[in-house]
Amino acid sequence: MNIQRAVKYLNKIPKKLRISIYIVFTSIFLFFILNIIFPLNLNIKYSQIILSSDSTVIHAFLSNDEKWRMKTELNEITPLLRKSIIYKEDKYFYYHPGINLIAVFRAFLNNMLHQKRTSGASTISMQVARLLQPKKRTYWNKIVEMFRALQLEWKFSKDEILQIYLNLVPYGGNIEGVKAASVLYFEKAPNHLSLAEITALSVIPNRPNSLTLGKDNDSIIKIRNKWLKRFKKAKLFSKEDIADALKEPLTAKRNPAPQKAPHYAIRMKNMFPNQANIYTHLNIKKQLKIEALTKNYINRLYNQNIKNAAVLVIDNASNSVICYIGSADFYNEEDAGQVDGIKAIRSPGSTLKPFLYALAFDKGLITPKMKISDVPVNYSGYEPHNYDERYHGYISITYALTNSLNVAAVKILQQYKTWRFVNHLKKLNFTQIQKDEKKLGLSVVLGGCGVTLEQLTGMYHAFANNGVYTHFNWLQKDTSKSGFPAVSPAADYMLTQILTKVTRPDLPLEWQNSADLPKVAWKTGTSYGRKDAWSIGYNKNYTIGVWVGNFSAEGVEHLSGSQTAAPLLFEIFNTIDYHSQAEWFSMPKDVAYRTVCSETGLIPNTFCSNLTDDLYIPQISSNKKCQHLKKIMISPDSSIAYCTSCLPQTGYITAWYPNYPPEIVNYYEENQIKYLKPQPHNPDCNRIFTDNLPEITSPVNNVEYFIDKNDTTQILLTCNAGIDVSKVYWYINDKFYKAAKATDKLFFKPTEGRIKISCTDDKGRNTNIYIQVKMINF
């Protein structure tokens, strides 16, 4: 019934109107069918451009099809640009569905009347269709253009279609689009163009091969002014604006594409391959200053065979990369200037030490004024040495870090455990360390691993951020400040206080008496073989990482973090943050001061007289009491000492003696350093002591030794014994070998097989170790 009624109703409609309705609906149906069969594929290959923090184009790359085709964003299409283009190209752009039927009919009649093409009817949408798929101009291809124009109108808004047009319009050669033309000819973005410049650009696409900016400027001015007068007649712009535009000279010429910050630009292009316009946080003014500073600095060092450097600057407030210098000179092929030193994997030297110290603060193992022994050590055959090949005895943690002492760092790592330290480094995105973690040992804290300048700078950025590690923000749209705590605010503050001290050997000589020395917390590092010099520092505003060396990995005798990298670090701080007025880091709530004994840095005992204040973390830092003195009962003539087993009822006196650990006693003896020694123990005492056993330091327990059969090689015997020990007795496979002073070095010729080595002191305390010896022919 409903169908019959509909048919009756349609029959009542006039025939002409009914035919028109059929044509409309059939056309719509046909359009949708064709739209499915021949979909519109919009695959525009744009030139990637890198923009700085102020949206200046700093670097441009050719598109994949070798075109300068830069994407004009919608917000770059100013009202001035929109009105000029639409008036000139398609006055009714906002009123037709992609095809202007009146213009088509008029053009058809004119062309038929004159038997040649006298006027066109292409709308902006139809021009976009032709620019997307260039074809020979025929009536059939014009119909195809119309269909594609309808597809564009169906899929995109009018402003988006105008944007596509402005991105594809030809300007001769391999330059396409308004943005590419404005950047390459006027060295500015489209939204900064004047009315005269916009009009000049609008006339070129009609004759892109015969009108070239820089060559045909006089001809372009004539055509430009003709259109400006048409704009005036149409009252498109004010008379004043038109008058100014008519007077404006045209000095445009073809300029090279921007090629600033090349390492950074390549990095951004590779990180964001699908973005045409990459808006970054890079501060181009600071970038160019630091590039020049770095290049000049390396030029001064070039005669010393030091040929390259890399610098990374982070804005602490925004976590953003604002300067990125991958080498001293990108275009210096002889010295591999195109290598990106910020990404290069190198040995970090001592630059990882601060992180270990901060973790040890958090673990309660150390505090800044706690004492540690800097003497020769041996950990399963590994014997670290200090940079200056000297030892310093009993020192504070602060002294150990400011002087970058290797032995102290390895001792702390041995207590903290290597695997735990490596796990923390992995969390901070040290990718090479993650790959090599099974190969790493105690030497990791001295540079026995691979890192990049970017990773190190990220770690120090955490120190500048109350211990919170965050990933860098590269793009303007990235404003994240979220992260995770690498160390606690308390440990971070304690570390920063140490790294800020200027009384230290890695302060460059030329800065030691300078009034311009910037207030920064910093650490230097020099890799083994003097191949890499590092200096990384931070204040409230910036974190700056500096690497100096050769990309060839060639070592240089005079290369060091303190004298080669640190001067550049300080120059950069003074360049971008001279006499910074920013507040320094404030003391967090979870750290406090306490009174400690200055001899050990531990909680004072009743006998401690020299006291000082030290930072500590309540409920975390050790509460161990100081034991730097030991009470000893001695005979009235001070000839012998008594223990509780042989102490007479009367006839003795009490004295206090230093309670040095065995390794310090051994160090003092070897270096003939005078110290107060206790009297020898009562020889008539029969007590057998069980505490403070002698420690055999060589050979190493459970280690396999390979000895040349034809050689006379002998194995060293050494030990650390208590301060009250004067003589030790050595046994090889339970047979007496020799008696010697506790600090003497002995040697023995081993036999093949498993060997038991025993050391007994003059108190009867004994230690055994075992080694395996193999005789081979080298």
Side-chain angles (χ1 to χ4, degrees):
M1 293 293 294
N2 290 333
I3 296 175
Q4 290 177 351
R5 289 178 183 176
V7 171
K8 288 181 180 180
Y9 178 76
L10 287 172
N11 289 331
K12 292 179 180 180
I13 298 174
K15 185 176 181 181
K16 291 183 179 180
L17 179 59
R18 194 163 61 243
I19 292 172
S20 298
I21 293 172
Y22 288 150
I23 292 172
V24 169
F25 278 98
T26 302
S27 299
I28 293 172
F29 177 76
L30 183 62
F31 169 76
F32 282 110
I33 293 297
L34 292 174
N35 188 50
I36 294 171
I37 298 173
F38 304 104
L40 178 67
N41 294 317
L42 200 66
N43 184 24
I44 303 174
K45 298 174 182 178
Y46 289 110
S47 301
Q48 277 191 292
I49 59 173
I50 316 300
L51 300 100
S52 62
S53 57
D54 60 358
S55 296
T56 300
V57 179
I58 59 173
H59 204 106
F61 297 93
L62 283 167
S63 65
N64 291 340
D65 56 350
E66 301 294 312
K67 300 280 190 180
W68 290 116
R69 187 188 297 115
M70 303 177 191
K71 184 177 182 181
T72 305
E73 302 286 3
L74 285 170
N75 60 9
E76 293 179 302
I77 304 174
T78 61
L80 208 62
L81 177 59
R82 181 183 292 106
K83 289 169 70 176
S84 300
I85 295 298
I86 289 175
Y87 182 83
K88 182 178 178 299
E89 296 295 331
D90 188 357
K91 295 178 185 178
Y92 303 101
F93 175 66
Y94 284 104
Y95 304 101
H96 59 66
I99 304 171
N100 187 336
L101 294 177
I102 296 174
V104 170
F105 184 69
R106 184 184 65 245
F108 178 76
L109 287 180
N110 286 335
N111 293 344
M112 291 298 293
L113 183 64
H114 297 90
Q115 294 297 306
K116 64 177 181 179
R117 186 177 181 274
T118 59
S119 64
S122 293
T123 62
I124 287 177
S125 302
M126 291 169 65
Q127 290 184 60
V128 169
R130 184 167 62 249
L131 291 169
L132 286 170
Q133 297 176 339
K135 294 179 180 179
K136 187 178 179 181
R137 296 196 177 197
T138 64
Y139 286 112
W140 171 251
N141 286 338
K142 182 65 69 174
I143 293 171
V144 173
E145 279 179 22
M146 292 180 183
F147 169 68
R148 293 299 187 193
L150 292 173
Q151 285 183 303
L152 285 165
E153 296 279 346
W154 175 259
K155 190 172 183 178
F156 300 103
S157 69
K158 286 289 187 178
D159 285 344
E160 288 172 332
I161 293 171
L162 178 61
Q163 179 190 20
I164 298 170
Y165 171 77
L166 292 175
N167 286 331
L168 296 176
V169 65
Y171 282 94
N174 65 341
I175 300 175
E176 293 184 4
V178 167
K179 188 165 188 172
S182 61
V183 168
L184 296 175
Y185 288 118
F186 295 102
E187 296 185 302
K188 59 177 75 173
N191 52 344
H192 293 157
L193 292 172
S194 67
L195 176 59
E197 291 166 339
I198 288 173
T199 309
L201 287 179
S202 71
V203 304
I204 295 174
N206 300 115
R207 295 165 55 189
N209 296 321
S210 60
L211 291 178
T212 303
L213 281 165
K215 293 181 180 179
D216 307 301
N217 284 6
D218 291 340
S219 299
I220 294 172
I221 288 175
K222 290 179 183 178
I223 303 172
R224 178 200 73 180
N225 291 347
K226 183 179 73 172
W227 276 101
L228 285 170
K229 290 172 183 176
R230 290 182 182 178
F231 293 163
K232 180 181 179 181
K233 187 176 181 180
K235 297 181 180 181
L236 203 62
F237 306 107
S238 69
K239 293 180 180 179
E240 293 78 9
D241 289 342
I242 297 291
D244 290 341
L246 288 168
K247 295 176 184 177
E248 186 174 316
L250 183 61
T251 58
K253 60 182 178 59
R254 176 68 163 86
N255 298 291
Q259 298 289 298
K260 300 182 182 74
H263 282 108
Y264 180 75
I266 293 170
R267 176 76 181 272
M268 293 299 95
K269 183 179 186 292
N270 293 333
M271 284 179 67
F272 308 104
N274 298 320
Q275 290 191 32
N277 297 338
I278 303 175
Y279 292 87
T280 74
H281 290 285
L282 195 83
N283 186 313
I284 190 59
K285 292 181 180 179
K286 288 183 170 64
Q287 171 78 17
L288 295 178
K289 283 182 180 179
I290 297 176
E291 278 185 9
L293 183 66
T294 304
K295 185 174 182 178
N296 291 335
Y297 183 77
I298 291 301
N299 286 341
R300 299 200 301 267
L301 298 178
Y302 203 84
N303 289 336
Q304 299 177 37
N305 199 33
I306 300 171
K307 300 178 179 179
N308 249 306
V311 178
L312 183 63
V313 181
I314 308 301
D315 183 289
N316 292 336
S318 62
N319 301 328
S320 57
V321 177
I322 64 167
C323 297
Y324 189 108
I325 295 90
S327 70
D329 184 358
F330 180 84
Y331 299 101
N332 182 350
E333 295 183 4
E334 182 180 349
D335 299 315
Q338 295 187 10
V339 172
D340 188 345
I342 291 173
K343 296 169 60 180
I345 297 172
R346 318 289 296 193
S347 166
S350 297
T351 54
L352 295 178
K353 289 177 183 174
F355 188 40
L356 172 65
Y357 279 70
L359 292 170
F361 288 146
D362 273 333
K363 194 73 173 172
L365 298 178
I366 56 174
T367 57
K369 292 187 178 178
M370 191 178 289
K371 295 295 181 71
I372 189 170
S373 59
D374 178 37
V375 297
V377 291
N378 188 312
Y379 295 110
S380 300
Y382 175 57
E383 299 182 8
H385 297 274
N386 290 324
Y387 183 76
D388 59 3
E389 295 295 336
R390 295 170 53 238
Y391 299 94
H392 304 79
Y394 221 34
I395 56 170
S396 70
I397 292 298
T398 295
Y399 184 91
L401 182 53
T402 55
N403 286 267
S404 197
L405 299 180
N406 294 339
V407 173
V410 171
K411 277 194 169 186
I412 294 170
L413 181 57
Q414 197 273 336
Q415 293 178 60
Y416 189 77
K417 304 304 178 188
T418 302
W419 64 266
R420 186 179 286 121
F421 182 53
V422 168
N423 280 343
H424 282 288
L425 290 171
K426 286 162 55 181
K427 291 178 184 177
L428 302 193
N429 204 34
F430 285 88
T431 51
Q432 191 62 38
I433 287 177
Q434 185 171 2
K435 293 177 182 177
D436 298 337
E437 64 175 312
K438 293 182 180 179
K439 307 174 187 176
L440 301 177
L442 292 171
S443 66
V444 66
V445 75
L446 307 184
C449 57
V451 304
T452 67
L453 178 60
E454 181 179 334
Q455 293 162 357
L456 282 177
T457 307
M459 182 179 76
Y460 280 75
H461 173 57
F463 301 156
N465 194 30
N466 292 318
V468 176
Y469 178 84
T470 58
H471 292 288
F472 297 151
N473 291 327
W474 298 93
L475 304 181
Q476 290 181 22
K477 65 181 181 180
D478 299 332
T479 57
S480 173
K481 294 184 179 181
S482 61
F484 61 87
V487 296
S488 71
D492 187 60
Y493 180 78
M494 294 159 77
L495 177 67
T496 297
Q497 293 300 99
I498 295 174
L499 295 182
T500 309
K501 294 184 179 298
V502 296
T503 308
R504 51 200 274 191
D506 64 345
L507 179 64
L509 294 174
E510 64 266 36
W511 290 88
Q512 290 183 4
N513 298 309
S514 173
D516 294 327
L517 178 66
K519 184 175 183 180
V520 296
W522 89 97
K523 182 72 181 73
T524 62
T526 308
S527 68
Y528 180 76
R530 296 180 180 268
K531 298 176 181 179
D532 307 278
W534 306 87
S535 188
I536 305 170
Y538 58 93
N539 63 10
K540 199 70 174 176
N541 292 330
Y542 301 105
T543 301
I544 301 176
V546 171
W547 169 86
V548 179
N550 295 312
F551 290 138
S552 63
E554 181 182 357
V556 180
E557 182 181 357
H558 302 292
L559 186 78
S560 71
S562 60
Q563 301 307 319
T564 311
L568 180 56
L569 175 75
F570 292 148
E571 285 189 39
I572 294 170
F573 265 112
N574 276 352
T575 298
I576 66 174
D577 204 23
Y578 185 68
H579 284 188
S580 174
Q581 299 300 311
E583 293 183 6
W584 195 245
F585 300 94
S586 57
M587 186 171 169
K589 295 179 180 179
D590 56 348
V591 68
Y593 280 99
R594 68 180 178 185
T595 301
V596 297
C597 175
S598 60
E599 300 294 331
T600 60
L602 299 175
I603 302 296
N605 216 318
T606 55
F607 49 74
C608 297
S609 56
N610 297 323
L611 306 179
T612 187
D613 290 333
D614 189 20
L615 287 167
Y616 81 111
I617 307 176
Q619 299 182 339
I620 297 293
S621 298
S622 171
N623 288 320
K624 185 179 179 182
K625 277 201 168 185
C626 175
Q627 300 293 335
H628 83 277
L629 291 180
K630 184 177 182 181
K631 185 167 68 173
I632 298 178
M633 283 70 74
I634 60 176
S635 61
D637 61 357
S638 299
S639 60
I640 61 172
Y642 301 111
C643 66
T644 54
S645 298
C646 64
L647 181 67
Q649 292 185 355
T650 59
Y652 66 89
I653 58 176
T654 301
W656 291 94
Y657 285 85
N659 187 25
Y660 295 123
E663 65 265 25
I664 288 293
V665 173
N666 194 47
Y667 171 75
Y668 286 164
E669 290 287 345
E670 282 190 358
N671 292 274
Q672 298 180 348
I673 298 172
K674 293 182 178 180
Y675 66 99
L676 185 59
K677 301 178 183 179
Q679 286 73 12
H681 190 67
N682 180 10
D684 297 327
C685 180
N686 295 319
R687 176 184 171 185
I688 298 176
F689 294 84
T690 57
D691 57 339
N692 295 327
L693 302 179
E695 177 193 1
I696 299 175
T697 55
S698 178
V700 179
N701 190 31
N702 293 325
V703 169
E704 192 171 35
Y705 289 81
F706 294 90
I707 306 294
D708 188 352
K709 289 181 178 180
N710 303 315
D711 199 356
T712 58
T713 301
Q714 295 184 322
I715 292 179
L716 174 67
L717 297 173
T718 59
C719 71
N720 286 331
I723 193 171
D724 55 347
V725 174
S726 58
K727 186 174 286 189
V728 295
Y729 305 89
W730 291 94
Y731 296 84
I732 308 296
N733 288 331
D734 295 326
K735 291 182 179 181
F736 176 72
Y737 179 63
K738 278 184 182 179
K741 289 182 180 180
T743 57
D744 284 352
K745 294 180 179 179
L746 303 179
F747 293 87
F748 78 98
K749 177 68 175 176
T751 57
E752 189 166 22
R754 193 166 186 261
I755 299 175
K756 177 184 179 183
I757 299 172
S758 307
C759 181
T760 305
D761 65 19
D762 53 15
K763 302 293 184 295
R765 295 171 292 203
N766 180 74
T767 298
N768 300 321
I769 67 165
Y770 295 88
I771 64 172
Q772 190 74 27
V773 175
K774 283 189 177 181
M775 298 293 181
I776 60 174
N777 290 314
F778 282 102

